[in-house]
Amino acid sequence: MADPILHIKDSYYFEVPKVLWPAHYKSLDELPPTLEFLKHEAVEQKLTIDDVNRELSGKIVIPQPFGKLQGFYAKQSGFAISKFMVIEVAIAALLVFIFARLAPKVASGRAPQGYLWNMFEASLVFVRDGIARPAIDSHDEHDHSDHGHAPHDQGHDAHGHASVPVHAHRHDGDRFLPILWTMFFFVLFCNLFGMIPWVGAPTGSFSVTLALAGCTFATTLIAGIFKFGPLGFWLNQVPTMDLPLPLAILLKPMIFAIELLGLCIKHGILAVRLLANMVAGHLVLLAVMGLIVASAQAGDKLFGTYGIVMTISVLGSTAFSCLELFVAFLQAYVFTFLSALFIGAAVHHH
C-alpha cells in the first residue's frame, strides 16, 4: 500500500489475507449498494471486473444500512459504521460479560479462585488503591482505614460486642470508581486489540481518544458543580490569595482566564497524548517491517543482504511488539491516573 498510515487508520472494512476473503464478482452490477462508490470509480477509470476483484480481495466491507460511503476511508452521507465502532462495541460487550460474571463473586466476599478472578480483582483493587484514592481523596484528615482494611479501633454496643468502626474514613475517590474502572479497562482492551493481527486499536483514532477525554471533562465539570455549586465551581478555579483589593481586581480575572484555558487544554492534551503514544508504536513497527519490503524490491542492488535485513527486522519487530504490549498497559494506567487527578482537582478547594 502506498500510504502506510492507512494500516492504522479507521476504515469501513476489516482487512484479512486475500486467500481468506477472495472477491469473485462477475460483473460490476453484482456489487452491493455499499460498494456503489467503487462501481462509479471503476466506470470512470475504465477498470475491469478483475481489477475490482483484486482491490476487494482481503477486504471485509462493513454493511452500511444508515449511510453511504464515498470510499473505504470516507463517507458520503448518513451514519456510517466504521471498523473502530464495531471493535468498541465488541469490547464493551466483552467487558459487560466479564464483570457481570465477576461482580457476584466479589460481592460474596469469598477468596478469589482461579487466574482470571485473581487477575481482574487485583486490577480493580489496584485502580482503587493506587489511582482513585490517592488522587481524589482529601489528605487533610488521617486515613484510619489502612486502604480499605478493617481498622483496629471499633466501637462497642451495650453488650460489649464490636460494632461499626468509630474512626472509619470515607474515601472520596470511591464515588468515582465506576467511571475510572470503566476507563481503565476500556482503554486497556482498546490498546490490546491493536496487538491482534488485522484488527486495530481504536485508541489510534483521535475521535476515540477525544471522546474519552470528553468523558473525563464532563465528569470534572459535573463533580465540581455538585460539590461547590454552579458559581462556586468556577470561582474555585482561582486559588485563594490574600491580595489588596486593587491588585485582586487586576490579577484575579487574568488568573481565572488562564485557569479556564488550562482546564480545556489539559483535557485536550489527555486525548492527544494517548493518541500519539498508540500511533507511534504502530508506526515504528511499520517502519521496521517495511525494511523487508524495501530490501526485497531492491534485490539486485542488495544481493545477499535480504536475509540479514529480514532477520533483523523480524527480531526488531518482536522486541517492539513486547514493548508495545507494555505500553498498552502503561497508557491505560496513565490515562486513568490523569483523569483521577483532574477529577480530584475539581472536587477540592484550590
Side-chain angles (χ1 to χ4, degrees), residues 263-276:
L263 183 67
C264 298
I265 291 176
K266 65 185 181 183
H267 286 89
I269 292 176
L270 184 64
V272 172
R273 73 174 310 282
L274 177 60
L275 171 71

Side-chain angles (χ1 to χ4, degrees), residues 2-69:
D3 189 356
I5 198 68
L6 296 180
H7 283 287
I8 58 176
K9 184 180 178 180
D10 195 9
S11 63
Y12 296 107
Y13 68 92
F14 286 88
E15 190 170 12
V16 298
K18 294 182 178 181
V19 294
L20 297 179
W21 194 267
H24 296 298
Y25 293 107
K26 297 179 180 179
S27 66
L28 295 177
D29 295 331
E30 291 186 6
L31 295 177
T34 303
L35 297 175
E36 190 68 24
F37 70 92
L38 190 58
K39 181 178 179 180
H40 292 308
E41 181 181 337
V43 173
E44 291 177 0
Q45 299 182 10
K46 298 180 180 180
L47 302 178
T48 65
I49 189 61
D50 293 332
D51 296 329
V52 174
N53 284 330
R54 277 194 296 270
E55 177 68 17
L56 287 176
S57 293
K59 291 182 174 65
I60 304 176
V61 182
I62 302 171
Q64 302 296 336
F66 311 111
K68 191 174 182 181
L69 298 183

Side-chain angles (χ1 to χ4, degrees), residues 120-307:
F120 284 114
E121 186 167 342
S123 300
L124 293 172
V125 173
F126 169 74
V127 174
R128 184 193 69 185
D129 294 344
I131 297 178
R133 290 179 177 178
I136 301 177
D137 280 5
S138 174
H139 301 287
D140 296 333
E141 301 177 6
H142 182 65
D143 184 359
H144 295 279
S145 65
D146 192 21
H147 293 287
H149 297 295
H152 299 292
D153 297 332
Q154 293 180 321
H156 294 78
D157 57 20
H159 301 285
H161 298 106
S163 60
V164 180
V166 296
H167 295 297
H169 177 71
R170 187 175 67 87
H171 293 279
D172 297 329
D174 289 358
R175 296 189 295 122
F176 301 97
L177 277 176
I179 189 169
L180 294 177
W181 276 338
T182 303
M183 284 184 177
F184 177 80
F185 283 103
F186 186 78
V187 173
L188 176 61
F189 275 54
C190 284
N191 294 345
L192 292 178
F193 263 61
M195 303 295 296
I196 303 175
W198 315 313
V199 180
T203 43
S205 172
F206 185 57
S207 59
V208 175
T209 59
L210 187 62
L212 290 169
C215 293
T216 300
F217 186 56
T219 305
T220 299
L221 292 180
I222 295 172
I225 290 173
F226 267 92
K227 181 68 178 288
F228 301 109
L231 181 61
F233 170 73
W234 298 110
L235 294 177
N236 187 50
Q237 300 305 309
V238 180
T240 303
M241 296 179 292
D242 295 327
L243 296 174
L245 182 59
L247 196 58
I249 294 175
L250 176 64
L251 291 182
K252 285 195 174 183
M254 298 171 59
I255 296 175
F256 175 77
I258 294 173
E259 291 293 335
L260 186 61
L261 183 62
L263 183 67
C264 298
I265 291 176
K266 65 185 181 183
H267 286 89
I269 292 176
L270 184 64
V272 172
R273 73 174 310 282
L274 177 60
L275 171 71
N277 280 281
M278 298 313 301
V279 170
H282 292 293
L283 288 179
V284 170
L285 282 175
L286 284 172
V288 174
M289 295 299 293
L291 294 176
I292 300 177
V293 179
S295 62
Q297 291 177 345
D300 294 335
K301 299 179 182 179
L302 300 176
F303 181 77
T305 62
Y306 173 72

